Amino acid sequence: MEYTDTNTYSIYLGSSREQHKHIVAQSQVVLRLGRILMKSGASAYRIKASMARLAKAIGLDEHHAQVTFTELSTSAYANGNFRTEVAEQRTMGINSYKIDQLGVFISNLPEKITPAQAEAELDRIDSMPHLYTRWMLTLASGIACAAFAFLNRGGYVECFAVLLAAGAGQYLRSTMIKRGINHMAIWMLCGFLSTSLYVGVVASLSAAGLIGPMHMVGFISSILYLVPGFPMVTGMLDIARMDFLAGIARLTYVTVLLVSASFSVWVMITIYHLPLAQNELPPMPYWLYVMLLVLASAIAAMGFAMLFAASHTAVLWAGVIAGIANTARILLVNQGWTPYLAAVLAVFTVGIMAEVIAPLHKRRYSRISLSVPAVVTMVPGVPFYTAMSHLSMGDMNSAVGGLAQSLLVFLALGLGLAFVRLLFDKNWIFDQDTQVMRKLDTERHMR
């Protein structure tokens, strides 16, 4: 995005024009860092802490910031002068690689740096091309959702139909997002495309006599790429850190998108009277079933890591983490554990593994990049969409039960990650003031 200079150089009594030009440069480069992090999907705490560290390095005495989901207000103070700026960031995307790159930049800041030097580094990071092409993301989405179809007890027919439907929906989503279309409309249209294509593929194969008629149960898996997992997790972490302005706004955004995608499910179920019952466990040896769970969990997490624009190494690690933690969660649920207790234990395991893996790469990859794709495999997308479908059909008992179970799992995911942060990050267990520069601790890595 081209950066436009809209400065005003007001001069106060006793100050020179050069002093004010300097504080303008200081304020703007810190604000730009916040905007890049915001459009990359970073949490409110990461945005505020990163801006505070850069503010200290470029010589500001104090830096105050208010962060919401789409708006950013800052006040910079230095040498008796101050400057307040307000910015709105309407790009609501995810770019884990840029978050990691900015984390390395902030963690390795020298004691002093000029605004021009910081601006040059931000130019370099912000101008980086996307790691994956649109067709690569289309394939990744299709394969990831096909893996979810298996995890939700679908067979090869369901997985094949989901691959086509989710891939087509992701391609449409990428095209519409690039053109700046409202996200609510995007999620509705992509949901209609994916569910319609799934039903069409299965109905065509059945009409041709190639398969039987009972393969419609996997159609909800065709829209699981529309589950906004990254903002869901960061929103819950914002709430855990008492950043309510950002957290509540982010979770409201998540709710709007989930309801928008659910609308297509309601319509398709109403028109075609599609079944909502889950399949039985597939008839295969237990050891083979476990191996396939590991493989499907890893593939699903890797696909979502690519959608989140994670680096290649982070994508591989996300697959390893999910292959272990999500498989354990599913097996625990199959053994009779309640879904939310299994989710807490699994997410706690994800957080621990991210804490162990990140230092192996000198923390070039943040915990959020390593853990969120694995956590997304545990988001109860199918139970939520199924519950919303029961609601639209007037089956209140099934709807309330499904929504309550989904809510408990959502809460469990947030609690699991928050527990790990409290154990391993002193900036979480002790609330650090990021506004007064002389009190700011910049020794620890921006993890």
Side-chain angles (χ1 to χ4, degrees):
M1 177 181 293
E2 184 178 352
Y3 191 71
T4 304
D5 188 355
T6 57
N7 298 327
T8 57
Y9 297 106
S10 302
I11 299 178
Y12 297 94
L13 185 65
S15 300
S16 67
R17 180 174 294 275
E18 290 304 314
Q19 286 178 313
H20 279 274
K21 283 186 175 181
H22 187 57
I23 197 173
V24 165
Q26 291 173 306
S27 176
Q28 282 201 330
V29 73
V30 177
L31 179 65
R32 187 182 182 195
L33 169 64
R35 293 183 68 181
I36 298 173
L37 282 168
M38 183 177 285
K39 75 177 182 180
S40 299
S43 65
Y45 173 70
R46 178 176 288 272
I47 294 170
K48 290 192 289 188
S50 298
M51 288 195 297
R53 290 188 178 206
L54 181 58
K56 184 175 183 179
I58 62 175
L60 289 172
D61 297 329
E62 291 185 35
H63 186 269
H64 298 187
Q66 186 175 34
V67 179
T68 70
F69 182 46
T70 57
E71 295 175 342
L72 186 59
S73 303
T74 63
S75 292
Y77 299 82
N79 302 317
N81 298 320
F82 77 93
R83 178 177 174 84
T84 296
E85 297 189 68
V86 179
E88 185 178 32
Q89 179 58 57
R90 301 299 299 178
T91 303
M92 292 167 282
I94 307 298
N95 196 316
S96 296
Y97 184 61
K98 285 188 179 180
I99 293 176
D100 291 346
Q101 290 291 301
L102 290 168
V104 172
F105 165 59
I106 294 300
S107 297
N108 296 326
L109 277 173
E111 186 175 348
K112 296 294 180 183
I113 187 175
T114 67
Q117 290 172 321
E119 191 76 48
E121 183 64 13
L122 292 182
D123 280 337
R124 182 188 70 82
I125 295 174
D126 197 24
S127 62
M128 287 179 172
H130 204 287
L131 290 176
Y132 309 103
T133 66
R134 189 179 309 181
W135 282 107
M136 292 170 67
L137 294 179
T138 296
L139 185 60
S141 177
I143 294 175
C145 288
F148 273 119
F150 174 79
L151 294 175
N152 292 310
R153 302 183 180 179
Y156 66 91
V157 174
E158 288 86 352
C159 292
F160 172 73
V162 165
L163 188 151
L164 297 179
Q170 171 59 33
Y171 187 84
L172 177 62
R173 180 170 67 165
S174 299
T175 302
M176 297 175 74
I177 286 177
K178 190 174 182 180
R179 297 182 179 180
I181 296 174
N182 182 282
H183 281 199
M184 181 185 293
I186 292 174
W187 260 246
M188 283 187 182
L189 292 173
C190 291
F192 276 119
L193 175 62
S194 293
T195 52
S196 300
L197 187 55
Y198 179 91
V199 172
V201 168
V202 173
S204 298
L205 293 175
S206 179
L210 299 176
I211 61 174
M214 302 303 295
H215 292 283
M216 290 295 184
V217 293
F219 84 106
I220 291 181
S221 297
S222 68
I223 62 169
L224 290 183
Y225 69 96
L226 294 175
V227 173
F230 203 99
M232 181 185 298
V233 172
T234 52
M236 289 188 289
L237 291 178
D238 282 339
I239 295 294
R241 280 207 50 91
M242 311 302 171
D243 288 317
F244 294 118
L245 280 176
I248 292 174
R250 202 182 301 268
L251 292 180
T252 301
Y253 169 76
V254 168
T255 302
V256 168
L257 296 188
L258 285 174
V259 173
S260 299
S262 297
F263 185 66
S264 63
V265 178
W266 301 344
V267 173
M268 296 302 291
I269 287 177
T270 301
I271 294 175
Y272 294 103
H273 305 287
L274 301 176
L276 293 175
Q278 190 179 37
N279 286 343
E280 297 295 326
L281 287 173
M284 62 177 69
Y286 187 74
W287 64 267
L288 178 59
Y289 173 63
V290 172
M291 289 183 62
L292 290 176
L293 285 180
V294 172
L295 181 61
S297 298
I299 290 173
M302 291 169 68
F304 270 87
M306 291 178 65
L307 291 178
F308 299 152
S311 66
H312 306 306
T313 302
V315 167
L316 293 174
W317 276 119
V320 172
I321 294 172
I324 296 172
N326 190 52
T327 300
R329 178 190 66 85
I330 294 173
L331 295 178
L332 288 174
V333 172
N334 290 345
Q335 292 297 317
W337 282 48
T338 55
Y340 44 90
L341 288 179
V344 167
L345 180 59
V347 172
F348 190 80
T349 303
V350 168
I352 295 294
M353 293 179 70
E355 289 285 351
V356 172
I357 292 168
L360 300 179
H361 299 277
K362 299 180 180 179
R363 297 201 179 275
R364 293 194 302 272
Y365 313 112
S366 63
R367 293 171 299 186
I368 202 79
S369 296
L370 295 170
S371 61
V372 171
V375 172
V376 170
T377 63
M378 306 175 195
V379 171
V382 169
F384 176 83
Y385 288 132
T386 302
M388 296 297 283
S389 301
H390 284 303
L391 185 64
S392 69
M393 297 165 61
D395 186 353
M396 293 297 114
N397 290 332
S398 299
V400 171
L403 289 174
Q405 177 181 315
S406 299
L407 178 60
L408 287 173
V409 175
F410 286 142
L411 294 175
L413 299 180
L415 286 173
L417 285 180
F419 288 159
V420 177
R421 293 293 180 90
L422 290 171
L423 284 176
F424 289 94
D425 193 340
K426 71 174 185 179
N427 292 326
W428 272 68
I429 197 166
F430 299 106
D431 200 6
Q432 184 183 21
D433 187 358
T434 61
Q435 299 185 125
V436 182
M437 297 296 101
R438 65 179 180 275
K439 296 181 180 180
L440 185 65
D441 178 16
T442 59
E443 295 301 316
R444 290 176 67 85
H445 193 283
M446 276 301 301
R447 303 187 295 160

